[in-house]
Amino acid sequence: MGERQIPGGLCSVLKLAVALAIIVGACTSSEETAVTNTRVTESTVTSSPNTTAASPSTSSAAVPYEVPEHDIAVRIIDGQGEFYLRDTNERFEPIGPNFHVFRSGPTFVVDQLFAPVFYDSAFIGEQFREMRSLGYNVVRTSLDLCSEDCIGSASGGLRAEWLDNVADFIRLAKDNGLYVILTSNDLPLLAGYVPTVESTCCDPFDGYINSHYLSPVGVEQWSTYWTEVVQALVERETPLDAIMAYQIRGELWLWRDRPPLSLEEGLVTTGNLNTYDMADAAQKEAMIADNVAHWIDEVGGAIRDLDPTALITVGLFVPNSPTQWRPPDDPRLVPDVRTVAASTIDFIDLHPYPGYIPFSRLMENFNLPEVAEKPLIIGETGGFTFVFGSPGEAAQGLQQWQALSCDYGIQGWMFWHWLGTDDHEVWTGSEGDGAIRDVFAPTNRPDPCSQADFDFFEDNLALGKPVSASGSIDGGAPELAIDGWNSSAWQSGAEPRQWFEIDLESEHTVRAVRLVPSQYPEGPTVHVVEMAGADGALSVVHRFEETTSDGQALVHEFSDPPTGIRYVRVTTTSSPSFVSWYEVAVLGE
């Protein structure tokens, strides 16, 4: 009782739903679409009136287009990789938002940023100007975080009007002084790549994720997809120098419970044309590492054939060991940083989110090198609504997260994401009067490794202070109720009467208390709040007596704030649940 299960993954409920929809949708297709060398198709749907880019068939440039050299490159200084601008030789520190336009699909939310029906060039230009006014220099977006209405054409190949909009987006970014990280979520459902990969199912490959990275067909199809995307951008004379990087997979992972990783015997020949013995655990690990690097090298090489100075990256959410933070039966296997760095990748994008385990443990799971020749960025992080009670709380927690990351050599940050309320997992940049935007903005915090104070920040006197309790169970230490997260909890492991006490370490004026119970089942409860000065003589200052439920915030604001307070104790005298608190906040000065 009194415990809540925390979902695994990093903003991956949406992404995994899209991925599974691709499996199901493609498997029910009655016929396979042939994969051709020229796959950008002219659609019967006319281009969006907001799109300023001309399609290849109407382009009439007098001077032949030459692929420009990219503005941003990577260099190594004293063994440490870093970004720099070619023209000035100055160090470059990418900071910005993820940018999507989420809309509700039949079964899940999808990104319709580039959809011809919805694409709005003028609106995007306005948003980019606001980004620049806040000092942002990078925007990260996805080509294909969608399903049926996406970059792929039902007749095969890629949709010309979709690519027109991608090209326009990149032009707008350049016009507003922004660089783009262009990401792929998955192979498009309707372009013809998926049936070809599925044909590898099911011996010795699974026909989906494992086939992507481990089979010769998967490597070929991903290389073809990215070749056709970049070729389409070249044909549209897109300013490719405004692209910071091609992120060839937004989050790279494999299935450990599907072939060939699930096989316990037999020989498997993989995409790199080497053969591995599945009865040998070391060979199986080598198969994963070798082929992840091979996949990155081949797909990245296909892009560089067209765009020679392009930077290549992939995204990683946090591996599940040595510290487990997702359910133990989660079948997703995430390569660590050292595995990915063994490839020709230029930099690596990490996706740690607050709310599971401490930042230091997440970084340990990534297996970071002591000195990273390949720069590291955080291309996704954000404030889950189940972790933080408001956008302001999320902004405050994310600032702490960002500052902590500097101790691990992180050199860039992108929050998830810029605007909207249709992402029900996280607080977005436009919620709470733009609190998260303001906290990450370089105009407000020129040094991302230093923290600043904002008017909307709470003065939670309890954060990180010494605590004691009547008792606790393993995994439910008292410190978890004063960490600023509603996703972790002190758990007494017992019924009332139980108490929880905070030592504020010095005397303060207390304006309010906020208690967030971890409670099951809901029902009538009584919680008594006592306070004391330096002498420790406790007296009752408030009594919560009402019907409460799991995660419900109990707030009391004092009309006459008590002063000289050092100790705060909450005693639960009645509850249908074991006593447990997600968070005990003491607000004041």
Side-chain angles (χ1 to χ4, degrees):
M1 291 189 289
E3 300 182 25
R4 175 169 61 178
Q5 289 291 325
I6 302 172
L10 303 172
C11 273
S12 58
V13 172
L14 166 61
K15 297 174 186 176
L16 192 54
V18 171
L20 293 175
I22 289 173
I23 298 174
V24 175
C27 286
T28 57
S29 175
S30 60
E31 61 182 55
E32 296 185 0
T33 305
V35 180
T36 64
N37 291 326
T38 0
R39 305 170 55 110
V40 178
T41 61
E42 293 300 328
S43 172
T44 55
V45 180
T46 58
S47 297
S48 166
N50 294 313
T51 302
T52 59
S55 70
S57 60
T58 60
S59 178
S60 58
V63 179
Y65 175 77
E66 292 185 7
V67 174
E69 186 175 58
H70 284 252
D71 290 353
I72 301 170
V74 171
R75 64 189 175 194
I76 298 176
I77 304 293
D78 297 328
Q80 174 75 57
E82 67 176 23
F83 303 107
Y84 75 101
L85 294 170
R86 293 180 192 271
D87 60 344
T88 65
N89 211 37
E90 295 178 350
R91 186 171 180 269
F92 180 78
E93 196 167 55
I95 304 178
N98 285 263
F99 189 87
H100 307 279
V101 177
F102 287 131
R103 298 180 187 277
S104 297
T107 56
F108 47 82
V109 174
V110 295
D111 181 17
Q112 293 286 271
L113 170 61
F114 298 119
V117 174
F118 299 113
Y119 186 75
D120 188 336
S121 184
F123 173 76
I124 292 167
E126 291 172 2
Q127 300 307 305
F128 284 177
R129 285 188 286 277
E130 185 172 355
M131 290 179 199
R132 282 302 295 152
S133 72
L134 292 170
Y136 292 120
N137 54 22
V138 167
V139 58
R140 180 176 179 266
T141 194
S142 178
L143 288 166
D144 48 29
L145 191 54
C146 39
S147 185
E148 285 84 359
D149 184 13
C150 201
I151 192 172
S153 169
S155 59
L158 304 179
R159 295 169 66 185
E161 64 272 31
W162 194 282
L163 291 160
D164 289 343
N165 294 340
V166 174
D168 182 61
F169 183 92
I170 296 169
R171 287 191 186 91
L172 288 168
K174 183 178 178 67
D175 290 346
N176 287 279
L178 296 169
Y179 294 96
V180 177
I181 295 180
L182 198 60
T183 299
S184 173
N185 178 64
D186 208 339
L187 288 175
L189 173 60
L190 298 180
Y193 315 99
V194 170
T196 307
V197 174
E198 282 187 333
S199 69
T200 64
C201 185
C202 295
D203 181 16
F205 303 107
D206 68 340
Y208 180 43
I209 287 291
N210 293 350
S211 292
H212 286 189
Y213 303 117
L214 303 178
S215 76
V217 171
V219 174
E220 177 189 28
Q221 292 306 300
W222 272 99
S223 298
T224 301
Y225 175 40
W226 271 107
T227 294
E228 291 169 354
V229 167
V230 177
Q231 183 61 52
L233 296 178
V234 170
E235 290 172 353
R236 284 157 175 76
E237 302 186 359
T238 309
L240 300 183
D241 52 345
I243 295 178
M244 176 179 171
Y246 298 99
Q247 187 160 52
I248 54 179
R249 188 72 193 245
E251 287 183 336
L252 193 160
W253 46 274
L254 300 94
W255 294 119
R256 66 172 69 249
D257 61 346
R258 300 181 189 179
L261 301 189
S262 60
L263 301 179
E264 297 181 356
E265 60 182 13
L267 301 179
V268 175
T269 300
T270 56
N272 64 355
L273 303 184
N274 291 334
T275 300
Y276 302 85
D277 184 354
M278 295 299 95
D280 186 328
Q283 287 199 38
K284 187 178 288 188
E285 290 298 317
M287 176 185 70
I288 296 168
D290 294 349
N291 281 275
V292 164
H294 176 72
W295 181 85
I296 293 170
D297 293 347
E298 291 297 308
V299 179
I303 292 172
R304 292 189 184 106
D305 284 344
L306 297 170
D307 191 358
T309 61
L311 297 182
I312 305 298
T313 188
V314 297
L316 302 174
F317 62 88
V318 185
N320 208 26
S321 65
T323 301
Q324 180 185 307
W325 66 276
R326 302 194 309 272
D329 58 350
D330 188 324
R332 291 171 294 173
L333 185 154
V334 183
D336 64 27
V337 165
R338 295 183 192 224
T339 297
V340 173
S343 71
T344 56
I345 201 167
D346 292 293
F347 66 95
I348 302 170
D349 170 17
L350 311 180
H351 299 172
Y353 282 67
Y356 297 94
I357 58 177
F359 190 85
S360 60
R361 297 291 182 86
L362 294 177
M363 292 298 105
E364 181 183 14
N365 283 13
F366 277 124
N367 191 24
L368 304 181
E370 289 186 12
V371 179
E373 290 188 357
K374 309 289 177 77
L376 305 173
I377 70 167
I378 292 179
E380 277 190 32
T381 191
F384 284 121
T385 55
F386 71 85
V387 176
F388 300 106
S390 69
E393 290 178 45
Q396 191 168 9
L398 290 170
Q399 177 182 242
Q400 296 166 353
W401 207 246
Q402 184 183 27
L404 278 173
S405 73
C406 294
D407 294 336
Y408 296 86
I410 303 301
Q411 299 183 43
W413 300 267
M414 278 123 252
F415 62 87
W416 186 275
H417 50 94
W418 176 252
L419 82 167
T421 57
D422 287 330
D423 189 324
H424 303 297
E425 287 190 285
V426 300
W427 298 109
T428 71
S430 59
E431 294 179 285
D433 294 325
I436 294 173
R437 292 179 183 178
D438 286 344
V439 162
F440 276 94
T443 54
N444 297 330
R445 289 174 55 230
D447 180 1
C449 299
S450 297
Q451 298 189 53
D453 194 18
F454 291 82
D455 291 342
F456 50 80
F457 279 2
E458 290 185 333
D459 292 321
N460 184 356
L461 306 174
L463 282 175
K465 294 299 172 63
V467 288
S468 56
S470 52
S472 61
I473 63 173
D474 289 344
E479 289 78 11
L480 296 176
I482 44 90
D483 61 2
W485 296 353
N486 291 340
S487 55
S488 57
W490 163 62
Q491 300 172 64
S492 70
E495 298 175 341
R497 177 182 193 110
Q498 303 294 330
W499 57 267
F500 181 91
E501 184 170 298
I502 305 166
D503 179 359
L504 302 179
E505 297 187 303
S506 58
E507 295 184 350
H508 296 271
T509 297
V510 176
R511 294 183 289 100
V513 292
R514 182 178 66 243
L515 316 178
V516 184
S518 170
Q519 177 184 329
Y520 184 81
E522 67 178 51
T525 57
V526 178
H527 308 289
V528 179
V529 180
E530 298 173 278
M531 295 184 182
D535 61 2
L538 293 165
S539 60
V540 176
V541 295
H542 187 69
R543 180 184 179 94
F544 292 98
E545 187 169 0
E546 57 189 280
T547 297
T548 56
S549 60
D550 184 71
Q552 173 186 347
L554 310 179
V555 180
H556 178 71
E557 296 182 359
F558 295 98
S559 57
D560 184 15
T563 59
I565 301 301
R566 174 169 175 173
Y567 299 98
V568 178
R569 174 179 286 207
V570 180
T571 302
T572 301
T573 61
S574 178
S575 175
S577 167
F578 284 1
V579 180
S580 177
W581 294 112
Y582 288 126
E583 200 67 18
V584 176
V586 180
L587 309 179
E589 56 270 335

